[in-house]
Amino acid sequence: MGDLSTGRAGAKLNLVLEVLGVRGDGYHEVDTILQELELADAVAVEPAAEWSISVGGPRALGTPADETNLAMKAARLLATRVGGTPVAITLEKHIPAAGGLGGGASDAAAVLRLLCEVWPGVTPGDLRFTAEAVGSDEVFFLAGGTARAQGRGERVTRLTPLPQHDVVLFIPRLTVDQKTPRMFAALDRYPFDSGSVAEQFARERPQRVSNEVTFNAFERVAFELFPWLAALWRDLEERIGEAVRLAGAGPCLFWIGKSGRGETVAAKAAGADCEVISTRTVSPR
């Protein structure tokens, strides 16, 4: 019925993730440093007679192909706001689902950007309003790159892009239902963070990042929800001889370091009970 619009939806890492407290609206206040990765889903949007979404690709498992998909939610919300007509959405998944890498939110943001090509008159304000209504990481993914996100994640400040780093992701074979809200609920039993780590990172803008300078509040409670993760974590650190960290709300783990070292780290991790994915950081669009 019309031209096909295509784009990429990159994964993300939380280089810093502090949880500051519970907000009056039920969300948690966060202060986080986000970094987009080269690992990405392929996204396509095309005018259609009726709404539809299809999901394929090597890591499609766990991604809904119905109205609960964040990309479909985003398209429907934007259509209501601007009077958009039905589209067919196609997702080719390369980002593992429910791992803490932001694939669902990134797909939603990519669809919003592509709908600017399909529906005339869509403004940046329309995109931001819709992204914020869908979730917490979608606003970051509209621009990507390196950024600090505050509030519940919707207040995004672009930061000087990092020089390219290698990243190795370690994808466990298990996850849990309702992972993120359960992780936040577990954190409520502990003292909250101050935001000082994210503030220092944003102020000093380090040129080189390693796992020793990253921080994730969810590591305090990760083994409560993922008791099997401790053995994998320990095994990976023994194999590569360096620290690994939790990605977002998990259960994926990651290593980040100097460009050119990722291939060696990935090779050392071979044989661990997880999928190993080598990727890199990217600059903003």
Side-chain angles (χ1 to χ4, degrees), residues 2 18 34 45 69 90 112 134 159 187 197 199 210 234 260 276:
E18 295 187 84
L34 293 160
V45 173
N69 187 287
T90 303
L112 291 178
V134 173
L159 300 179
L187 272 182
V197 182
E199 172 64 31
S210 66
R234 184 169 56 250
V276 179

Side-chain angles (χ1 to χ4, degrees), residues 121-197:
V122 178
T123 68
D126 293 327
L127 296 187
R128 182 182 172 86
F129 177 89
T130 307
E132 188 173 334
V134 173
S136 295
D137 286 333
E138 284 80 355
V139 176
F140 161 72
F141 280 120
L142 286 178
T146 310
R148 182 183 186 182
Q150 296 169 282
R152 62 176 174 87
E154 85 286 2
R155 288 180 12 231
V156 177
T157 305
R158 296 281 286 271
L159 300 179
T160 303
L162 289 179
Q164 192 167 74
H165 285 62
D166 282 359
V167 174
V168 183
L169 304 172
F170 310 103
I171 316 300
R173 307 191 190 285
L174 300 172
T175 187
V176 298
D177 292 334
Q178 297 296 309
K179 170 203 64 178
T180 301
R182 291 172 65 184
M183 289 284 270
F184 273 116
L187 272 182
D188 290 345
R189 303 195 306 272
Y190 294 83
F192 289 112
D193 304 304
S194 67
S196 61
V197 182

Side-chain angles (χ1 to χ4, degrees), residues 197-259:
V197 182
E199 172 64 31
Q200 181 178 355
F201 192 106
R203 184 177 62 249
E204 297 181 359
R205 316 278 175 90
Q207 287 298 296
R208 291 294 170 194
V209 176
S210 66
N211 280 22
E212 283 70 22
V213 301
T214 61
F215 176 84
N216 187 342
F218 285 127
E219 291 184 359
R220 295 197 287 267
V221 297
F223 298 155
E224 295 180 26
L225 262 73
F226 314 118
W228 41 265
L229 189 60
L232 174 61
W233 198 316
R234 184 169 56 250
D235 182 44
L236 285 168
E237 291 190 334
E238 290 175 354
R239 287 172 183 270
I240 70 176
E242 297 181 55
V244 300
R245 304 307 292 260
L246 188 72
C252 293
L253 304 173
F254 73 93
W255 170 94
I256 184 170
K258 184 178 178 181
S259 182

Side-chain angles (χ1 to χ4, degrees), residues 90-122:
T90 303
L91 305 178
E92 181 183 290
K93 294 294 295 180
H94 298 270
I95 304 170
L101 300 170
S106 189
D107 291 344
V111 165
L112 291 178
R113 292 194 305 271
L114 293 174
L115 287 173
C116 291
E117 304 173 14
V118 177
W119 299 333
V122 178

